[in-house]
Amino acid sequence: MAQELRATQPLGLVLENQVASIPPLDLGKHQRAPLRVLVANQNRGEEHQRISAALGQWTDADPQLQVVVVADRALAQRLPPEKLEFHPMLDYVQYRALLRSCQIALLPLAPGVANGCKTPIKLLECGAESVAVVCGPELYGRFAPPGVAAVAPQLEAVVGMARELAGDRQQRLEQVLQAHAWVKDQWHLAPAIATRLWLYQLVWRRRQQLDQRLVERLNHDPTVPDLQHADFGSRIPQ
């Protein structure tokens, strides 16, 4: 996102999302039935529609499969009710608890600039909750080292790769083990809090100068109305 905004706002502080809560590794749930596959992505109706037929075929073929869908009623209506667990939009604590109850999560994301600007936070949350992931093709492959997620080369491959992961428990356990260690080592919020606070304080102390430079740049753009200092709460020389 910072790269896309650089023409208008070349000054940017880029801080990736991190995970505040990382429960202990839980491999035991991968030994239990039913196999709970979570689809909890928001604003991904196109992606869900493109994987829905293959997901429906999987539910028909696997008596141990339970698909857990959050918020997307259109996707839920395409799946057999007896294989479906549907939830409306959840708050974050409820979402993490539901995620924790699943073994596999599907994170389909179509290629494109806007999707490439998203955060990989869902991948990190899955790693923290010992949930295996099939994702992509956009975004996640840039973040995930080999072994922590199955990255699909195209949307239509997501369900097929998930079925392979479901059928290969050892591969799934290895992925979950690596992903949990990766998130705990590199994406845990607690060790980064002090550095983040220091950076926020530096930016706050320089806010007037930063505001002034932003206003000067935008006021030279004929497509943007002139901005006044009141818009930023800083004293900008006119």
Coordinates of all heavy atoms in Angstrom, one line a residue, residues 5 9-10 13 20 26 32 43 47 66 83-84 102 109 123 136 141 168 170 182 202 217 226 233 238:
L5 N 0.8 4.4 -2.7 CA 0.5 5.8 -2.2 C 1.7 6.7 -2.4 O 1.6 7.9 -2.1 CB 0.1 5.8 -0.7 CG -1.2 5.1 -0.4 CD1 -1.5 5.1 1.1 CD2 -2.4 5.9 -1.1
Q9 N 2.0 10.5 -1.2 CA 2.5 10.5 0.2 C 3.8 9.7 0.2 O 3.8 8.5 0.6 CB 1.4 10.0 1.1 CG 1.9 9.9 2.6 CD 2.4 11.2 3.2 OE1 3.5 11.6 2.7 NE2 1.8 11.7 4.2
P10 N 4.9 10.3 -0.2 CA 6.2 9.5 -0.2 C 6.7 9.2 1.2 O 7.6 8.4 1.4 CB 7.1 10.4 -0.9 CG 6.6 11.8 -0.7 CD 5.1 11.7 -0.7
L13 N 5.3 5.4 7.3 CA 5.8 4.4 8.3 C 5.1 3.1 8.1 O 3.9 3.1 8.3 CB 5.6 5.0 9.7 CG 6.1 4.1 10.9 CD1 7.6 3.8 10.8 CD2 5.7 4.7 12.2
A20 N -1.3 -10.6 18.7 CA -1.1 -10.3 20.1 C -1.2 -11.6 20.9 O -0.5 -11.8 21.9 CB -2.1 -9.3 20.6
D26 N -1.4 -26.8 19.1 CA -2.4 -27.8 19.3 C -2.5 -28.7 18.1 O -3.2 -28.5 17.1 CB -3.8 -27.2 19.6 CG -4.9 -28.2 19.8 OD1 -4.5 -29.4 20.0 OD2 -6.1 -27.8 19.8
R32 N -8.8 -35.5 15.4 CA -10.2 -35.6 15.7 C -11.1 -35.4 14.5 O -10.7 -34.6 13.6 CB -10.6 -34.7 16.9 CG -9.8 -35.0 18.2 CD -10.4 -34.2 19.3 NE -10.2 -32.7 19.2 CZ -9.2 -32.1 19.7 NH1 -8.2 -32.8 20.4 NH2 -9.1 -30.8 19.6
N43 N -15.6 -9.7 2.4 CA -15.5 -8.9 1.2 C -14.7 -9.7 0.1 O -14.0 -9.2 -0.7 CB -14.8 -7.6 1.4 CG -15.5 -6.7 2.4 OD1 -16.7 -6.6 2.4 ND2 -14.7 -6.1 3.3
E47 N -14.2 -14.4 -4.9 CA -13.4 -15.6 -4.6 C -14.2 -16.8 -4.2 O -14.0 -17.9 -4.6 CB -12.3 -15.3 -3.6 CG -11.2 -14.4 -4.1 CD -11.4 -12.9 -4.0 OE1 -12.6 -12.6 -3.8 OE2 -10.5 -12.1 -4.0
Q66 N -16.9 -30.8 7.6 CA -17.9 -29.8 8.0 C -17.3 -28.5 7.6 O -16.2 -28.1 8.0 CB -18.1 -29.8 9.6 CG -19.1 -28.9 10.1 CD -19.3 -29.1 11.6 OE1 -18.4 -29.3 12.3 NE2 -20.6 -28.9 12.0
K83 N -23.9 -30.2 6.1 CA -22.5 -30.2 6.2 C -22.0 -28.7 6.6 O -20.8 -28.5 6.6 CB -21.9 -30.5 4.9 CG -22.1 -32.0 4.4 CD -21.3 -32.9 5.3 CE -21.4 -34.3 4.8 NZ -20.6 -34.5 3.5
L84 N -23.0 -27.9 6.9 CA -22.6 -26.4 7.0 C -22.8 -26.0 8.5 O -23.8 -26.4 9.2 CB -23.6 -25.6 6.1 CG -23.5 -24.1 6.3 CD1 -22.2 -23.5 5.8 CD2 -24.7 -23.4 5.6
C102 N -11.1 -25.1 14.3 CA -11.0 -25.7 13.0 C -9.6 -26.3 12.7 O -8.7 -25.9 13.4 CB -11.4 -24.6 11.9 SG -13.1 -24.0 12.0
L109 N -7.7 -15.5 -2.5 CA -7.5 -14.1 -2.8 C -7.1 -13.9 -4.2 O -6.0 -14.4 -4.6 CB -6.5 -13.5 -1.8 CG -6.4 -11.9 -1.8 CD1 -7.8 -11.3 -1.4 CD2 -5.3 -11.5 -0.9
L123 N -3.5 -15.2 7.7 CA -2.5 -16.3 7.7 C -1.8 -16.4 9.1 O -1.5 -17.5 9.6 CB -1.5 -16.0 6.6 CG -0.3 -16.9 6.5 CD1 -0.7 -18.4 6.2 CD2 0.7 -16.4 5.5
G136 N -4.1 -17.9 -1.4 CA -3.6 -17.3 -2.6 C -4.7 -17.3 -3.7 O -5.8 -17.6 -3.5
G141 N 1.8 -15.6 -0.7 CA 3.1 -16.2 -1.1 C 4.3 -15.2 -0.9 O 5.4 -15.7 -0.7
D168 N -3.8 -35.9 3.8 CA -2.4 -36.2 4.2 C -2.1 -35.5 5.6 O -1.6 -34.4 5.7 CB -1.4 -35.6 3.2 CG 0.0 -36.0 3.4 OD1 0.4 -36.4 4.6 OD2 0.8 -36.0 2.4
Q170 N 0.0 -36.1 8.0 CA 1.4 -35.8 8.3 C 1.8 -34.5 7.7 O 2.5 -33.7 8.4 CB 2.3 -37.0 7.9 CG 3.7 -36.8 8.4 CD 3.8 -36.7 9.9 OE1 3.1 -37.4 10.6 NE2 4.7 -35.8 10.4
W182 N 6.9 -20.2 13.2 CA 7.2 -19.0 12.4 C 6.4 -17.7 13.0 O 7.0 -16.7 13.2 CB 6.7 -19.2 11.0 CG 6.8 -18.0 10.1 CD1 7.9 -17.3 9.7 CD2 5.7 -17.5 9.3 NE1 7.6 -16.3 8.8 CE2 6.2 -16.4 8.6 CE3 4.3 -17.7 9.3 CZ2 5.4 -15.6 7.7 CZ3 3.6 -17.0 8.5 CH2 4.1 -15.9 7.7
L202 N 8.0 9.4 17.8 CA 8.8 10.2 16.8 C 7.9 10.9 15.8 O 8.1 12.1 15.5 CB 9.8 9.3 16.1 CG 11.0 8.8 16.9 CD1 11.9 8.0 16.0 CD2 11.8 10.0 17.4
R217 N 2.3 19.3 -0.9 CA 2.2 18.5 -2.1 C 0.8 18.4 -2.7 O 0.7 18.5 -3.9 CB 2.6 17.0 -1.7 CG 4.1 16.8 -1.5 CD 4.5 15.4 -1.4 NE 3.8 14.7 -0.3 CZ 4.2 14.7 1.0 NH1 5.4 15.3 1.3 NH2 3.6 14.0 1.9
D226 N -7.7 22.9 -2.3 CA -6.8 23.4 -1.3 C -7.1 22.9 0.1 O -8.3 22.9 0.5 CB -6.7 24.9 -1.3 CG -6.0 25.4 -2.6 OD1 -5.4 24.5 -3.3 OD2 -6.0 26.6 -2.8
G233 N -5.4 20.0 12.2 CA -5.1 20.5 13.6 C -3.7 21.0 13.8 O -3.3 21.0 15.0
Q238 N 0.4 29.8 5.5 CA -0.4 30.0 4.2 C 0.5 30.8 3.2 O 1.3 31.6 3.6 CB -1.7 30.7 4.5 CG -2.6 29.9 5.5 CD -2.9 28.5 5.0 OE1 -3.4 28.4 3.9 NE2 -2.7 27.5 5.8

